[in-house]
Amino acid sequence: MSVKNFKVSVAGRYPPPVGGVSVYVSRRFSLLKAQGREVEKLDFSDRFFPFDLFKSEADTYEVNSLNLLVVFIFFIFGKLSRCIFIDHNASRHYVGFKKKVLLFFIRRALKVYVVKPELKTFYPDGITVDVVSPFIVPDVDQLDSVLSSYSQEVLDFIEKGVFVVNSAWKFIPYNKTDVYGILDSVELLRRVDDIKLLLAVADYNPADMPAGLVSDIERFVNEGRLCLFTGQKQLWPVFKKSAVCLRLTPYDGDSVCVREAIHFGCKVLASDAAPRPSDCFIYPYGNFEQLKTKLKEMLE
């Protein structure tokens, strides 16, 4: 059987919502198609996905989920031995009995891809594990299409000099701050003169955020120093502008956002909460003074 006749099914959640995993799944499907491969789409957000899987005759399934229900569905339909599971940092959620159940099924799969080497320690001997990058270069021919989804306010903002950009799915509290560093990025506007912030929050809901943060965001928007970029949109064209990408997370995988920024020549300032590409500027997570100092150095 030739490679072109070898049918691959790319299974996972496709955008929307736009996120690291969904973007990877969508781009992986498009990449295989562009290579002339025979490829099918299995979208987990479609409630009829199990019916589509039952009918599928793919030779290999690239499954971008470690959800136990998803894994079990592939098992009961007799597809598990043709599955390659891609671990996008999901295995860190499994301990104890749940881990034993997951590994029971995974042992029957073809192999596992992990997005960073440290994840290999989750899998015992007998399971084939390879490392794969979660970053697939976006199709730059889609630039105009992506930009057409931006508001005029965002288009004007990214054309007016240097700015920093912080990307978040939504506001998720974490200890005294939040998972994506929204609080810290807004605080930087107070503490670093003359910077501007593009705050990209896919699911922006002020009701879920501290009242003081919402008030600060509104004030900085009115002052022209902050631009809200909301909704399910791809961010990579922003990195082609005069931006510094912030990744202020307490834990992380191999961030697609960081990889995209570096690919397009955008400086990245990231926490030390996970191994980062060598091109990144790093600060110790939780140390705001170091974050501020490092950013000022990058902007000089």
Side-chain angles (χ1 to χ4, degrees):
M1 182 184 296
S2 69
V3 171
K4 286 193 174 183
N5 292 329
F6 190 87
K7 188 173 183 179
V8 179
S9 178
V10 181
R13 187 174 292 276
Y14 286 73
V18 173
V21 177
S22 64
V23 166
Y24 172 86
V25 170
S26 178
R27 289 182 186 169
R28 177 63 176 166
F29 175 82
S30 297
L31 177 63
L32 290 173
K33 202 168 184 181
Q35 292 173 346
R37 302 285 297 276
E38 187 177 359
V39 59
E40 71 174 17
K41 179 186 295 186
L42 278 177
D43 189 350
F44 294 161
S45 61
D46 182 348
R47 61 195 179 107
F48 295 110
F49 129 72
F51 181 69
D52 294 333
L53 176 61
F54 176 75
K55 295 189 302 178
S56 171
E57 296 181 354
D59 297 289
T60 299
Y61 297 87
E62 296 185 359
V63 185
N64 291 270
S65 174
L66 289 182
N67 179 282
L68 274 175
L69 178 59
V70 168
V71 175
F72 182 69
I73 289 172
F74 276 88
F75 171 71
I76 62 174
F77 286 157
K79 315 281 189 180
L80 209 53
S81 63
R82 286 177 274 166
C83 286
I84 299 172
F85 286 94
I86 296 88
D87 180 356
H88 294 271
N89 209 31
S91 59
R92 63 186 172 84
H93 297 296
Y94 285 91
V95 294
F97 179 71
K98 282 183 65 178
K99 177 178 178 179
K100 290 180 180 179
V101 173
L102 177 67
L103 291 176
F104 170 82
F105 290 118
I106 295 296
R107 287 180 188 277
R108 288 150 178 78
L110 193 60
K111 65 168 61 176
V112 175
Y113 288 153
V114 295
V115 298
K116 56 182 182 179
E118 307 90 272
L119 295 176
K120 294 177 73 172
T121 59
F122 177 84
Y123 300 93
D125 293 342
I127 297 176
T128 303
V129 183
D130 295 326
V131 180
V132 63
S133 172
F135 175 58
I136 298 175
V137 177
D139 183 356
V140 293
D141 290 339
Q142 296 182 2
L143 177 63
D144 290 341
S145 174
V146 175
L147 288 175
S148 70
S149 70
Y150 290 12
S151 69
Q152 191 59 50
E153 288 80 7
V154 170
L155 292 172
D156 291 342
F157 188 87
I158 65 178
E159 293 294 342
K160 294 178 181 176
V162 177
F163 60 94
V164 298
V165 55
N166 189 18
S167 173
W169 167 40
K170 62 188 296 185
F171 183 85
I172 303 174
Y174 181 84
N175 292 336
K176 294 182 180 180
T177 180
D178 63 285
V179 167
Y180 294 102
I182 295 174
L183 280 160
D184 282 346
S185 60
V186 173
E187 180 67 17
L188 284 169
L189 292 177
R190 292 197 198 90
R191 308 278 291 275
V192 181
D193 294 337
D194 300 325
I195 67 164
K196 299 190 303 176
L197 169 67
L198 180 68
L199 183 58
V201 186
D203 183 6
Y204 183 73
N205 186 357
D208 294 336
M209 302 164 65
L213 174 60
V214 175
S215 177
D216 287 339
I217 288 173
E218 292 174 350
R219 175 165 66 90
F220 286 123
V221 167
N222 291 332
E223 292 176 2
R225 295 187 62 200
L226 187 151
C227 181
L228 274 173
F229 184 26
T230 61
Q232 301 294 331
K233 300 179 178 69
Q234 295 189 59
L235 193 61
W236 60 267
V238 170
F239 299 136
K240 296 167 68 69
K241 304 297 180 180
S242 300
V244 173
C245 173
L246 304 176
R247 189 70 176 176
L248 314 181
T249 52
Y251 50 83
D252 216 347
D254 189 346
S255 167
V256 172
C257 179
V258 168
R259 293 287 183 181
E260 280 187 347
I262 291 171
H263 176 78
F264 288 108
C266 176
K267 293 180 180 179
V268 175
L269 175 54
S271 69
D272 63 354
R276 305 294 188 185
S278 59
D279 311 70
C280 290
F281 294 82
I282 307 297
Y283 79 98
Y285 179 77
N287 189 325
F288 186 86
E289 288 304 311
Q290 285 290 320
L291 167 62
K292 181 186 72 172
T293 299
K294 186 68 70 171
L295 179 61
K296 291 175 73 173
E297 290 174 359
M298 294 171 66
L299 295 172
E300 288 177 355

